[in-house]
Amino acid sequence: MLTRLLSGDMPRSGLLTVLLLGILVSLAFAPFLFPGTKSLETAAKICIFIVLVASYDLLLGYAGIVSFAHTMFFGIGAYGTALALSTTGPTYSSMIWGTAAGAIVAGIFALAIGLFSLRVKAIFFAMVTLAVASAFAVLMSQLSWLTGGEDGLNYGVPREFKPAFKLIDEKILDVRINGKLLLYYFVFFASAALFLIMLRIVNSPFGRTLKAVRDNAFRAEAIGYKVVWYRTTATVLSAVMAALAGSLLAIWLRYTGPATTLSMEIMIDILLMVVIGGMGTLYGAVVGATIFILAQTYLQNLMGLAETATSSIPIVSTLVAPERWLLWLGVLFILSVYFFPSGIVGRLREGRA
Amino acid sequence: MTKEHPILETEGLTIRFGGHVAVDQVSCAFDRGTLTAIVGPNGAGKTTYFNLISGQLRASGGTVILNGEEITRMSVPERTKRGIGRAFQLTSLFPTLNVRENVRLVAQAKASKGFDMLSMASRHVHLIERAEHVLNEVRLIDQADSVVSALPHGDQRKLEVALLIALGPQVLMFDEPTAGMSVDEVPVILELIRKLKNDMDRTILLVEHKMDVIRSLADRIIVLHNGALVADGDPAEVIALPVVQEAYLGKTPEAA
């Protein structure tokens, strides 16, 4: 049963199993374990980014394709849902058609980019995606009558997903069972389902073929695989998954703008999460996204504490001042890439006896 | 047995790289169930001729016909699906995957399962069994779990041949299959080629430098020289020809 659910891709390392279970339990019971708005926001962001990063790993780690258009697909999904909710009202049907439209548009874009440019060398494909994604980001901020420009869109969600909605009057474990909590669980289960679907895809005959294409496209052709079609299909799948993650973000935030979806900064974050977690293994996306977002969110607080604690020592306290958090985030990445070149998951799996 | 039309035929097959004609008007037909050795000095165009047949290069002129169907403009995978298989002179494998997975991918391609994305690859037991059967034949089964990039060169050469055997096409093209193998590994591969040859449906094209191998396996020898077909016939006759003697005695001391 569990084997089937995980598509036979077991963690294959004791420490990794513990780590993944820890993340799963923390996310599944986040509203009860870590009460508070900020921690719930962080937990939801982690869920969504696990899907987003896993979908990028499908492309980069499995198919060996470098793309810089992943945030564009993420944004297409988010804007699809956002536009539907803001134009046809905060209903479930708007949510569904907006999400479906976003996923379809992302798929078509990916198909077009793939067919036009996956025949050329990898570096050219990367450049094409960079150009298309930049153009798309500019387009979205210019079409302000539609997208709200740089300000983005604010909209409502169905009543059951609003904080004011109460499922039951009593609190459970001191936590109010309101719309926000329901919405969190919607995001959690949708993310889990999407992750398991991707886990199945990478462990299917198709996923295995992607690895062959990544390793040696020349030989893959010679044994009968049409490489361009495999690469294009991988690009489309990954784009659709990214768009669905974008839709989840749009529903969760009730806001969609360029800064939350389309920015190059997010693209770089995704790249880092894949590399830190470990390319070519979807569990790497889970570990990478969790660690990265936790660091991004809490490093400043942690450093604030450190600064107070070291306030008597002059240079050290300046070094650990909260405003230098980006410096330390950078140091953490350099160290993690240096010590775990195959990512955290790769390192843990190598280490198994 | 009635005379069938040849399984594979090239007519006036030519490729130019700038001013250099690497394969020059080669017309040759290969009958089903035969083993043809292709010989010639280095740079004679043997591998280029192979590339034109299996599709890695597109011809500047002439045609390639497989089973009566022209395949000159087809892509590599299309030709593979129609029955052409190739083992490469420069080993070309899937280096980060293990030995079993390399062969399994071939069995999977043959079964046209590559686009199946909903089932678990590990559940397709017959593909794994097929891979292990072939690995057993080439005596690589003990290395089944080794990652290819960590394999010694000789074993990589064996795996190169194993991939072609797993593909089991109608036309098998071996480009110096035993090059780089240790002396005791060579007979295993030659025995496999002999077995394939005895299977009447298979047609084998073999580029090889070792004259003793050619003598013992080939039904026919064709000689390429500067891209052109200069001799074609019975092994004993062709080996005796001055052009072959010159090419082989001149270039490869261990031959003839």
Side-chain angles (χ1 to χ4, degrees), chain A residues 307-329:
Chain A
E307 191 194 22
T308 330
T310 57
S311 54
S312 54
I313 317 163
I315 300 171
V316 178
S317 73
T318 324
L319 268 179
V320 297
E323 60 266 28
R324 303 207 200 292
W325 73 283
L326 266 176
L327 168 76
W328 288 103
L329 200 60

Side-chain angles (χ1 to χ4, degrees), chain A residues 200 208-209 215-216 219 225, chain B residues 96 101 105 108 118 160:
Chain A
R200 171 53 62 95
R208 300 283 191 94
T209 312
D215 260 25
N216 186 347
R219 189 59 186 257
Y225 293 115
Chain B
T96 71
E101 178 64 6
L105 280 162
Q108 181 183 285
L118 297 177
E160 178 68 40

Side-chain angles (χ1 to χ4, degrees), chain B residues 14 16 19 29 37-38 43 47 50 64-67 109 112 136 138 156 172-173 175 211 215 239 246 250 253:
Chain B
T14 303
R16 281 178 221 97
I38 298 163
T47 297
F50 264 23
V64 183
I65 295 157
L66 178 74
N67 274 324
S112 299
N136 209 19
V138 299
Q156 292 196 6
L172 297 105
M173 305 168 74
D175 198 348
M211 269 300 165
R215 268 201 207 93
I239 289 171
E246 189 192 324

